[in-house]
């Protein structure tokens, strides 16, 4: 048997071995993508702490954009480079195509991040607070440990969402309703802050 034949046999054994190895890993690499999560899976009292943290996360996103957008528009800071639309905002030369301020979110879409969108993130934070508060209200203390604290927490962050909307926009609208004066959002904020105080006091949470 010559050297060339040995090399061919060795290569063949290596290929077969690699194929068998990959076949054995097939089940490890398989991914069962579940698709969309059914809404019923979220209506679960064991997820209450996670849902409450989601309200906080959405508000933090909205507040980041709120401070950034307001600072750019009020000249508290200026873009130091050619960033568009940041520079245009500072120069008051925004075109109709630069709508991030109105409809931009917090997420990164592909390689482009929204630039300080304000109404959409604030609306998301407001809706989340109302939706999760309703879920918590429908569950019992036996189902959710610390439910009173979570209710107070969610109400507080929701109130801040209404407060920022009322202090910033000329008009507000909620859940597809008709436009209202900004005072409507401030009234909601005041009511919810009062509710949060009552809830936290009942729960014995003096820090809140």
């Amino acid at each position: 048997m010559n050297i060339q034949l040995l090399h061919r046999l060795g290569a063949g054994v290596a290929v077969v071995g690699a194929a068998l190895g990959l076949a054995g890993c097939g089940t490890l690499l398989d991914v069962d993508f579940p698709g969309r999560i059914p809404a019923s899976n979220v209506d679960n009292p064991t997820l209450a702490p996670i849902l409450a943290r989601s309200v906080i996360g959405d508000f933090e996103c909205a507040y980041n954009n709120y401070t950034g957008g307001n600072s750019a528009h009020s000249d508290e800071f200026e873009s130091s480079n050619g960033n568009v639309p940041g520079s245009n905002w500072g120069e008051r030369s925004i075109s109709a195509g630069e709508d991030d301020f109105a409809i931009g979110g917090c997420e990164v879409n592909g390689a482009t991040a929204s630039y300080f969108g304000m109404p959409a993130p604030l609306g998301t934070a407001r809706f989340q607070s109302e939706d999760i508060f309703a879920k918590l209200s429908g569950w019992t203390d036996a189902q959710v440990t610390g439910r009173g604290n979570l209710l107070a927490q969610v109400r507080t962050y929701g109130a801040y969402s209404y407060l920022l909307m009322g202090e910033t926009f000329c008009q507000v609208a909620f859940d597809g309703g008709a436009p209202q004066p900004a005072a409507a959002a401030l009234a909601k904020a005041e009511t919810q802050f009062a509710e949060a105080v009552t809830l936290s006091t009942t729960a014995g949470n003096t820090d809140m």
Side-chain angles (χ1 to χ4, degrees):
M1 186 176 291
N2 60 30
I3 299 299
Q4 189 176 12
L5 181 58
L6 285 173
H7 278 294
R8 288 178 181 172
L9 285 172
V13 170
V15 169
V16 172
L20 290 172
L22 289 175
C25 292
T27 54
L28 296 175
L29 300 176
D30 287 342
V31 176
D32 183 17
F33 182 65
R36 292 182 178 273
I37 299 173
S40 58
N41 287 7
V42 181
D43 295 328
N44 184 340
T46 62
L47 297 177
I50 297 173
L51 294 174
R53 283 195 292 273
S54 298
V55 173
I56 297 173
D58 282 322
F59 178 79
E60 288 177 343
C61 153
Y63 189 68
N64 275 345
N65 281 26
Y66 178 85
T67 53
N70 274 341
S71 296
H73 277 276
S74 63
D75 294 329
E76 291 181 47
F77 77 74
E78 296 181 12
S79 176
S80 62
N81 55 29
N83 188 312
V84 177
S87 297
N88 290 352
W89 282 14
E91 297 166 1
R92 305 298 190 271
S93 58
I94 306 171
S95 69
E98 294 164 347
D99 55 5
D100 259 8
F101 180 79
I103 65 173
C106 294
E107 71 281 358
V108 176
N109 299 316
T112 305
S114 166
Y115 193 88
F116 298 141
M118 290 173 62
L122 275 174
T124 299
R126 183 206 68 82
F127 175 82
Q128 273 282 79
S129 70
E130 296 285 11
D131 185 54
I132 303 308
F133 188 86
K135 284 181 170 59
L136 288 167
S137 298
W139 295 327
T140 65
D141 292 339
Q143 291 175 301
V144 179
T145 302
R147 188 173 72 100
N149 273 323
L150 295 178
L151 282 166
Q153 189 176 73
V154 168
R155 221 21 158 198
T156 300
Y157 279 90
Y160 274 114
S161 298
Y162 281 111
L163 176 66
L164 297 185
M165 295 174 81
E167 289 183 340
T168 306
F169 305 130
C170 299
Q171 288 184 315
V172 293
F174 310 124
D175 303 318
Q180 304 176 65
L186 295 177
K188 288 281 288 184
E190 185 175 7
T191 298
Q192 292 198 359
F193 276 128
E195 291 176 8
V197 169
T198 300
L199 287 164
S200 60
T201 301
T202 303
N205 189 337
T206 55
D207 289 339
M208 185 179 299

